[in-house]
Structures are given as structure tokens and as C-alpha cells.
Amino acid sequence: MTNGPSKRAVVTGAAGFIGSHLCERLLDDGWRVTGVDCFTDYYSRDDKLSNLEELASTPGFDLVERDLLGDGWQRALQGSSVVFHLAAQAGVRGSFGSSFSQYAGNNLVATQRVFEAAAASGAARVVWASSSSVYGDAETHPCREASTQTLPRSPYGVTKRACEDLARIYRTRDLAITGLRYFTVYGPRQRPDMAIRRICNALTSGGTFELYGDGSQSRDFTYVADAVDATVRCARPEATASIYNIGGGEEATMARVITTLETLAGARLALDRRPAQRGDVRRTSADVALARRDLGWSPTVPLHRGLAAELAWVRARSSIREVSA
Ligand SMILES: NC(=O)c1ccc[n+]([C@@H]2O[C@H](COP(=O)([O-])OP(=O)(O)OC[C@H]3O[C@@H](n4cnc5c(N)ncnc54)[C@H](O)[C@@H]3O)[C@@H](O)[C@H]2O)c1
């Protein structure tokens, strides 16, 4: 699918997990892409540079290393029809305590600045990343965009919920704004703080995995290529809703994820059992009927295949490191 050589997009958070995959997909589809990222220190710069490895040598991609809370990035929006805004301070547990100011800045203030800049630049659309965290511990499942109450249980979820309110205010006839409530995205390049990545690391290098809670908590895991496909579809005029649930369709407990990865790795995982953490919810599950209807989107990668892909990526990465050490 090609959009013609003149289509330009900006992707904020381009050096991150989902953002780097999104840039690759857009370039494959014929877009010219400017990535904006300031390489926050939430995880290592080296990890983010390796996320960008393929992009760095792809014609049609350039990177603007700037903080959305500062200036100098706004001119990258000139001539772009779509801004994909994925930059944020992610992670539920870290959002308590003194680090909340980073969440307020990199999520709420940065998002308001992106909406302002997009409106000023004449971009037609902003597609941005919200989160299933806005639902908190929902009383009924699966969660639906219009009818399930949003009651975040973490400060992170509160910032995403507040961004949704901002998006409603900034939506105008000239600027379409579409948010995606991603449900636990996983796959190659997953952030190093996320559970599946930590499990794969422990299985590959023989470490232990800190399991928070008893393992019966479940998530609607979403493979990254599916999340990216939904994101790209949100750039089209058919994406008329303000928000879409994007979930992988195969809710699984942490215990099941661990067993599946142990079988795939042919190894037992050493567990360090810890109490459930503040902000962690018991369950997430998405009703994706709206995304199916408007975007023609549905998830395609089953959990088993996606877990195998992430494990293979972690293994390949660790063997490259061993060779170069
Ligand atoms: N990964 C998931 O499961 C998941 C689930 C729900 C929502 N989300 C949302 O999706 C988006 C991408 O998540 P991810 O997992 O790829 O995270 P990530 O941390 O890998 O990527 C975010 C990127 O944004 C950049 N960034 C942060 N603040 C910035 C600022 N002020 N200026 C410029 N760059 C900045 C960071 O350097 C980082 O590279 C985020 O908005 C996140 O909240 C992710």
C-alpha cells in the first residue's frame, strides 16, 4: 500500500518501542517520516539507538532530537499531514511518588503542546497513544470505549485520561484527533521494564523474574505489528471516533505467559515472588468492535506466535552482545 512520495508524517517517540516500529511501517507504506525524540533516561540511550538502527539507513526518514517540552521541533510539523504522537513517560508503577512530575510533563504538558503545534501547522490529523490504564479495575469486561467508566488506578492512567479530555477540546473541524487505548503491547524491542521482556531476559541469561502478585492477573496482550497497523489505519478519514480500544483479543494470565515462554525456551523460570504493586489492575480486556467497524482492523498475531517472536529477538540480541563482548 503506497500513499505517494509526498505524504509526510511526524512520529513523536520515534526512538521508543512502538514508535520505531511505526516509523518502519510508515516508510514501507511510502510515507516520508520525521521522528522526534529526546531519548529520556527511562531506559538506556543505547537501547533506543538500536531501535533506530534500521531507520537510520532508510531513505525518507530523519530524526529531530528534541524535547517536546522545549522548542525547535515544531517546524518539523510543517508540510506533514499527520502527527503520530507516541512520546510519553510510560509505566504504571513508576508514576507514584516524586517521579510523577515527569509523567505530568512528558504526558500531559507535552500532549497539549503537540495539539497546539499541530493546529498551528495546519496538519489535518493527530493520532496519539492513550492506554488501557484509563479503565483501571473495570467492573465489567470486555471494556467498551463509550460505556465502560474510566477510573484510572495509577497516576500514569490519570495523565492519559487527562490527555483524552484535552483531545476532546482540541478536536475541531480542521484538526481530527484520534486516540488509541493500547492494551499491553509486546514483541521485539519491547521496553525493558515490561514483564514479557523481563521474562525473556531471565530465561535467556539465567536470571530471576520478579513476579508481582500471584500470576492470576490477566492482560489483553497486543502484538506490536497489530498495534502499529491500527495506528496507521487511524490516519484515514474513516477513523471518525475520538478513541479506539486496541487489544490483541487473547486475554491471558501472567501464569499462562510464563508457562508458554518456558515451553518455548525449553527452560524453567526462576521466580522471585513479590506482592502485587500499587496501580496494578487485576484484569484488562478490550472490546474492539469499534476499531473493527471503522478501521477494518482486527488483531492477527496469536499470543503464542508473538511470544515466540519476542523470545527469538531477545535471544538474538543477547548472542550479538556475547560475541561483541
Ligand atoms: N507499550 C505498551 O504496552 C503501551 C500500552 C499503552 C499505551 N502505551 C503508550 O504508547 C506510547 C509508546 O509506548 P512505548 O512502550 O513505545 O514507550 P517508550 O518509552 O519505548 O517510547 C516513548 C518514547 O518517547 C520519548 N519521549 C518521552 N518524553 C518525551 C519528550 N518530552 N520529548 C520527546 N520525546 C519524549 C522517549 O525518549 C521514548 O523513546 C506511549 O505514549 C505509551 O504511554 C504503551
Side-chain angles (χ1 to χ4, degrees):
M1 187 177 43
T2 301
N3 290 281
S6 59
K7 278 264 198 179
R8 290 184 57 90
V10 167
V11 176
T12 74
F17 162 43
I18 305 172
S20 61
H21 283 280
L22 174 63
C23 291
E24 287 171 11
R25 164 69 194 267
L26 289 168
L27 289 159
D28 279 350
D29 286 358
W31 293 73
R32 292 171 59 81
V33 178
T34 300
V36 179
D37 204 299
C38 69
F39 296 81
T40 61
D41 63 3
Y42 185 54
Y43 61 95
S44 87
R45 184 180 178 91
D46 282 354
D47 274 6
K48 292 180 186 178
L49 286 174
S50 84
N51 290 344
L52 290 170
E53 231 158 55
E54 199 179 313
L55 288 164
S57 58
T58 309
F61 178 78
D62 63 304
L63 182 74
V64 173
E65 186 173 342
R66 293 282 178 170
D67 189 332
L68 295 173
L69 298 175
D71 286 317
W73 54 272
Q74 291 90 338
R75 57 178 171 268
L77 272 57
Q78 296 301 327
S80 291
S81 52
V82 184
V83 180
F84 294 93
H85 172 48
L86 273 66
Q89 175 57 54
V92 165
R93 291 180 205 118
S95 65
F96 291 87
S98 59
S99 49
F100 180 68
S101 56
Q102 280 154 36
Y103 286 77
N106 290 331
N107 300 356
L108 193 53
V109 179
T111 298
Q112 186 264 357
R113 289 174 61 89
V114 168
F115 291 158
E116 288 278 349
S121 75
R125 186 177 281 270
V126 178
V127 178
W128 71 281
S130 185
S131 167
S132 60
S133 299
V134 300
Y135 288 118
D137 264 322
E139 279 177 12
T140 54
H141 287 274
C143 294
R144 295 192 176 88
E145 297 89 339
S147 56
T148 305
Q149 196 182 7
T150 51
L151 259 183
R153 273 177 49 88
S154 65
Y156 165 72
V158 168
T159 63
K160 289 292 184 180
R161 175 58 236 254
C163 289
E164 292 190 1
D165 289 341
L166 275 176
R168 262 186 288 278
I169 293 166
Y170 278 87
R171 251 163 93 86
T172 62
R173 206 159 47 89
D174 294 329
L175 182 66
I177 302 186
T178 307
L180 301 104
R181 288 180 182 157
Y182 292 137
F183 284 65
T184 316
V185 184
Y186 74 103
R189 302 185 207 147
Q190 194 186 35
R191 292 197 326 264
D193 60 307
M194 296 186 76
I196 293 174
R197 171 85 178 267
R198 293 188 292 113
I199 295 169
C200 292
N201 282 344
L203 285 168
T204 302
S205 42
T208 53
F209 170 68
E210 283 180 8
L211 173 65
Y212 301 115
D214 62 5
S216 65
Q217 68 273 35
S218 62
R219 296 289 178 268
D220 195 338
F221 293 101
T222 313
Y223 190 67
V224 63
D226 283 329
V228 162
D229 185 45
T231 310
V232 170
R233 286 169 189 260
C234 280
R236 301 181 189 158
E238 304 85 86
T240 50
S242 57
I243 204 87
Y244 290 99
N245 281 342
I246 301 301
E250 204 177 330
E251 184 183 350
T253 62
M254 277 312 299
R256 182 177 148 212
V257 167
I258 290 171
T259 314
T260 306
L261 282 167
E262 284 180 330
T263 308
L264 284 164
R268 282 292 295 223
L269 182 66
L271 289 179
D272 175 4
R273 292 182 181 277
R274 303 285 179 100
Q277 301 285 296
R278 273 194 303 182
D280 283 349
V281 298
R282 288 288 310 153
R283 174 175 184 202
T284 65
S285 75
D287 182 323
V288 296
L290 195 59
R292 190 172 282 126
R293 189 197 72 189
D294 286 3
L295 313 174
W297 175 86
S298 47
T300 59
V301 180
L303 186 63
H304 187 274
R305 180 143 55 90
L307 290 176
E310 182 161 347
L311 178 64
W313 174 78
V314 167
R315 283 177 155 173
R317 211 177 125 85
S318 107
S319 56
I320 290 166
R321 289 194 162 176
E322 272 168 28
V323 169
S324 56

